[in-house]
Amino acid sequence: MAKRIDEVEALYQRAVAACGASDWEGAIRLTEQALAREPELASLHYLLGNCQLELAEHEAALQAYSRCLGLAPRYPLSAEATAQQALCRTRIDIGNGIRPATEPLAAGQVVPVSVLICSADSGRFARTEGMYRHLLREVPHEIVLIDDARSLAEGYNRALQQARHDIVLLAHDDVGILSPDFAARLLRGMRCHDLVGIAGTRRLVGGAWHFAGYPHLAGQVGMPGGDGGYVVTLYDVKERETKGLQALDGLLLATRRDTALRLKFDQDSFDGWHLYDLDFSLRASREGLDCATCNDILVVHGSQGSYDGHWLRYAQRFLDKHKGRVDPMPGLVFKPELVSLPLRSADEWQLLTQHLISASART
C-alpha cells in the first residue's frame, strides 16, 4: 500500500512538472499512469481535465471534471473543478459561435439613477463617466463628481446631498463594467434588495470582508490579465443574486438615496480611504436591510487592496466600533483560500457566469 502511494505521488509530481513546462501530452500520460494505480483520487482527475482543456479536448476534459466532482472533493478543489468544468463548456459554446445572453430592459423597469464618484484624476474620471453614459444610455441618469473628497466617506456624503434620483450608485473611479446590459441587471437587483454590491460576505471576520473565506463569500471580481484578458476571483457564483449578506465590498454599491442619507457614511471614524464600506454595509444589515450581491454583473477593478499600516489603523477603528459584533482579526497577514481563473475575454467571462449559475440551478 505504502509503495503504491509513493508511486502515485511521484507520478503526480512529474505530471505537475510537465504542466509547468507546457508538456500537456506528457502530463496526460503520467496522470493516466497514476490513475491506473489510484482511480479514486479526485486531484488526479482534475489535473487530467486541466491538461485536456489546454489541448482543447473539451469532451474528454468534461468527463475528467465530472469524475473529479463525483468523488466529492473538499473546497477548494470542488470549486476549482466546478469552475474549470464551466470554462470547458464555455469554450465549447464559443467554438460553436454562441454569444452570451443579454438581459432586456423593460420599459416598466426604468428608474432614474445617480452615479456618485469621488475622483481627483480628470483623465480617469472622463473614462469612467463615458462608460456610465454608455451603460445607462436607456435610463435617465446623472453623474455626480466630487473631485476634492477628504475621504470616501466624506465625499460620498457630500455627493448624496447633491444627488437628485432615487437610486444611487456609488463607484470607485478605477472600476470597469463589462456587462453590456448593466442597467437591466442593476435595476433588477434594486427591485429585490435594499443594498446591492458585486462581492460580499455572510459572516464578517476582522477588517476585510473576504477574510471569512469559504463558504461565507459571494460574488466575483476581475483584475486585468495578460493579452487583454482577465483574472477573475470567484468567491461564489451559484445564483444570480445572493441575499442576506452581512457586509459588501465598496468598489460598487447601489441603494436608495433616502436609505443612504439616513445611514450616512461615518466620515469621523473613517476619514481616509479604508473600511467606510464595511461600516456602512454592516450597519445596514444590522438594521434588517437586505444586502445582496448581483453575481452576474462583471466588474474589473483596476487596483488591488493594500493591507498596509494605514489600512490596519482603520481596521482597528472598525473593530473597536463594532466590538462584539464582528469576529476578531485572524492575523496581520491572512490569505483565505480563494479560487481564481484566467479568462481570455469578456464574452468568455459572461458565458462562464451563465454556466456556473445554470449548473447550480440544476443541482
Side-chain angles (χ1 to χ4, degrees):
M1 175 67 75
K3 180 181 179 181
R4 188 182 70 188
I5 292 173
D6 289 343
E7 289 176 349
V8 170
E9 177 63 21
L11 287 166
Y12 177 80
Q13 293 302 331
R14 288 172 60 194
V16 170
C19 289
S22 298
D23 178 10
W24 309 113
E25 292 90 348
I28 287 174
R29 287 194 299 272
L30 291 163
T31 305
E32 287 176 339
Q33 290 175 36
L35 280 167
R37 293 165 171 81
E38 188 51 75
E40 300 299 307
L41 197 57
S43 58
L44 289 174
H45 294 287
Y46 174 73
L47 182 59
L48 179 62
N50 288 353
C51 296
Q52 291 164 333
L53 180 56
E54 289 289 343
L55 294 173
E57 297 174 358
H58 296 126
E59 294 300 334
L62 280 176
Q63 293 178 21
Y65 292 132
S66 293
R67 287 192 291 268
C68 172
L69 291 168
L71 293 168
R74 299 177 64 181
Y75 183 91
L77 181 56
S78 59
E80 289 170 347
T82 299
Q84 292 288 86
Q85 188 179 56
L87 179 57
C88 195
R89 292 193 172 107
T90 293
R91 291 188 176 163
I92 291 172
D93 283 351
I94 290 173
N96 290 330
I98 296 174
R99 298 274 300 169
T102 56
E103 185 169 339
L105 181 65
Q109 298 174 345
V110 174
V111 179
V113 176
S114 295
V115 182
L116 315 183
I117 301 172
C118 298
S119 179
D121 185 321
S122 59
R124 184 184 288 177
F125 171 71
R127 291 190 295 274
T128 302
E129 180 184 29
M131 177 185 71
Y132 284 111
R133 295 291 187 201
H134 176 70
L135 292 172
L136 299 173
R137 62 192 179 279
E138 299 179 71
V139 176
H141 65 275
E142 63 174 352
I143 312 288
V144 178
L145 168 66
I146 302 297
D147 60 6
D148 60 348
R150 295 187 292 276
S151 68
L152 279 173
E154 184 274 335
Y156 281 148
N157 281 338
R158 226 187 319 155
L160 285 166
Q161 294 293 334
Q162 299 178 27
R164 297 181 292 113
H165 298 318
D166 179 44
I167 302 296
V168 290
L169 177 69
L170 303 96
H172 288 191
D173 67 351
D174 62 348
V175 160
I177 299 172
L178 302 185
S179 302
D181 50 2
F182 169 71
R185 296 180 190 274
L186 174 72
L187 294 178
R188 179 240 301 158
M190 284 306 304
R191 288 197 304 274
C192 303
H193 311 286
D194 300 304
L195 179 63
V196 164
I198 52 93
T201 181
R202 300 175 181 86
R203 174 191 174 205
L204 197 52
V205 175
W209 63 267
H210 69 283
F211 278 0
Y214 176 84
H216 306 290
L217 308 183
Q220 57 178 334
V221 178
M223 295 286 293
D227 299 322
Y230 309 96
V231 177
V232 178
T233 301
L234 300 163
Y235 300 105
D236 192 20
V237 186
K238 292 179 180 172
E239 52 197 340
R240 292 202 305 177
E241 299 159 10
T242 303
K243 63 180 183 178
L245 301 178
Q246 192 175 20
L248 296 169
D249 190 305
L251 77 160
L252 195 74
L253 292 173
T255 188
R256 287 163 183 80
R257 180 175 177 269
D258 58 355
T259 298
L261 285 171
R262 177 171 54 80
L263 284 171
K264 294 182 181 178
F265 289 90
D266 184 353
Q267 64 188 59
D268 295 325
S269 299
F270 305 103
D271 54 355
W273 312 101
H274 301 292
L275 278 294
Y276 71 95
D277 50 351
L278 294 197
D279 174 73
F280 182 83
S281 54
L282 176 60
R283 288 188 287 114
S285 66
R286 286 187 59 78
E287 282 197 10
L289 300 181
D290 181 17
C291 302
T293 51
C294 286
N295 302 323
D296 56 0
I297 292 178
L298 310 187
V299 170
V300 179
H301 198 195
S303 61
Q304 289 184 315
S306 176
Y307 300 103
D308 55 12
H310 294 290
W311 174 84
L312 188 59
R313 183 168 68 253
Y314 286 106
Q316 192 57 57
R317 288 188 187 182
F318 173 79
L319 294 173
D320 289 343
K321 177 177 178 177
H322 297 285
K323 191 173 184 179
R325 304 187 185 99
V326 176
D327 289 339
M329 195 88 74
L332 294 181
V333 179
F334 180 71
K335 294 183 179 180
E337 289 185 298
L338 301 173
V339 175
S340 293
L341 203 62
L343 299 174
R344 297 170 178 170
S345 66
D347 276 1
E348 187 168 89
W349 188 0
Q350 291 177 68
L351 284 165
L352 174 88
T353 300
Q354 290 173 199
H355 278 296
L356 287 171
I357 293 171
S358 62
S360 296
R362 291 195 299 268
T363 58

